[in-house]
Structure formats: C-alpha cells, structure tokens
Amino acid sequence: MLRHFGAGQVAVLDGGLGKWTAEGRPLEHGTASPRTARFPAEARADEVVSKQQLINGAGLPVVDARPRARFEGREPDPRPAVADGHIPGARNLPMGELYREDGTLRSDDELSRAFAAAGIDPARPFVASCGSGVTANSLILAARRLGGRDARLYDGSWSEWGADPATPKEIGAS
C-alpha cells in the first residue's frame, strides 16, 4: 500500500513484532520522539482497479485472498447485506496459505506452488481482491517477492462487489 502512494523504499518486518521479540531483538521503551517530515502521497491510479473496470472486463485474472469457505459461499460473509460467493471467474488463493505459523512468508518455492495451484502466474498481471481490500495486499507482496511487478488491487473487493445486487456472483470452487 505504501508503494501505491509513492513510497519508494518500503520494507516488511517478516513475522512482525512477535517474531522480532521472540528472537530477542532490542526494543525501545518510553515516549517516542517523532521527527517532523513530509510525505507527499500521490496514488498511482494504474495500480488500482475499480468495480466498473471489472464489470467492463479488465482483461486480467482476479485472485481472491479470502478463506476458501467464504470464497466458495460455504460460510456466510461477516458483513450484513453482503452476498455469499465470489466474482465470476475469480481464482482463490487464501492469504493464510502464503504464511507460515510464525507469521513469516513461506519460501519462494512454496509461494510459487501456491500461486500455481490457484492457476495464477505471479509474474503476469492480475487483480488482487479479498473481503475489504486489505489482505489482498498479501497476494501483491508475495507476487513481488517472486518477481511480479504488475499486480493490481481491487480496493472495493468483496465488500463492494457482494453488496451490489446488480453484480454477478458465483458459488462454489473456482
């Protein structure tokens, strides 16, 4: 998301703070002393796909990061007035399959196999979706780690698509 808004130097703490502290790494305590800075955020419009673009045929595969049961419509969506299922033709690669139990990203080989099992080539353009437009970024992160540079985000994701009675929906596996 930071890259989308123009940050060029971005890093991810693989495994998060939990792994950092489990490894005995140092932490600072006390009141933080923030520095004054300016970050002129500028969204890169070509990295986000809208619902209308998908309806019109964006020409890219859609990959949904939600858990398989929600994607297939076997479990209801947690948001009221949002239908079950997925965008027609979408593929499913649950975000949880990208991470180990300790919260770190899986190895490149494991990530490659997960994308392949979902029928997606991470080096080719695709649209990442999820429930609300947040966890889809894990698909983009994993694809970037594998060398992909043209994954796009459907920010509205299922919360927008599934809440619109006019959009088509599918139930079942992809």
Side-chain angles (χ1 to χ4, degrees):
M1 292 176 89
L2 286 168
R3 287 183 197 276
H4 170 68
F5 287 105
Q9 296 183 19
V10 178
V12 173
L13 183 57
D14 196 13
L17 183 61
K19 183 172 183 277
W20 181 271
T21 55
E23 292 174 345
R25 296 181 184 261
L27 294 176
E28 290 184 4
H29 298 277
T31 305
S33 301
R35 297 179 299 169
T36 301
R38 288 184 52 94
F39 176 69
E42 188 172 320
R44 298 175 182 162
D46 62 332
E47 294 181 352
V48 176
V49 175
S50 70
K51 177 177 71 172
Q52 193 59 50
Q53 286 173 302
L54 290 177
I55 290 170
N56 292 343
L60 299 174
V62 175
V63 187
D64 190 318
R66 291 179 298 152
R68 200 165 315 285
R70 282 191 34 216
F71 175 85
E72 294 177 355
R74 292 182 287 115
E75 286 183 6
D77 192 272
R79 292 168 288 267
V82 175
D84 298 335
H86 59 269
I87 297 169
R91 311 297 292 173
N92 185 221
L93 177 48
M95 179 196 75
E97 293 182 15
L98 304 175
Y99 296 93
R100 295 183 187 101
E101 286 188 29
D102 68 357
T104 57
L105 272 173
R106 294 190 178 277
S107 72
D108 289 359
D109 286 342
E110 291 170 310
L111 292 174
S112 293
R113 284 193 298 273
F115 274 99
I120 297 297
D121 180 351
R124 300 195 42 92
F126 68 88
V127 174
S129 181
C130 60
S132 63
V134 178
T135 59
N137 286 288
S138 287
L139 296 172
I140 295 170
L141 174 67
R144 284 189 68 87
R145 180 154 130 197
L146 295 173
R149 296 288 181 259
D150 199 16
R152 298 173 190 161
L153 175 67
Y154 170 34
D155 191 35
S157 285
W158 189 249
S159 61
E160 178 181 54
W161 190 276
D164 185 343
T167 57
K169 294 149 186 87
E170 280 185 352
I171 298 288
S174 57

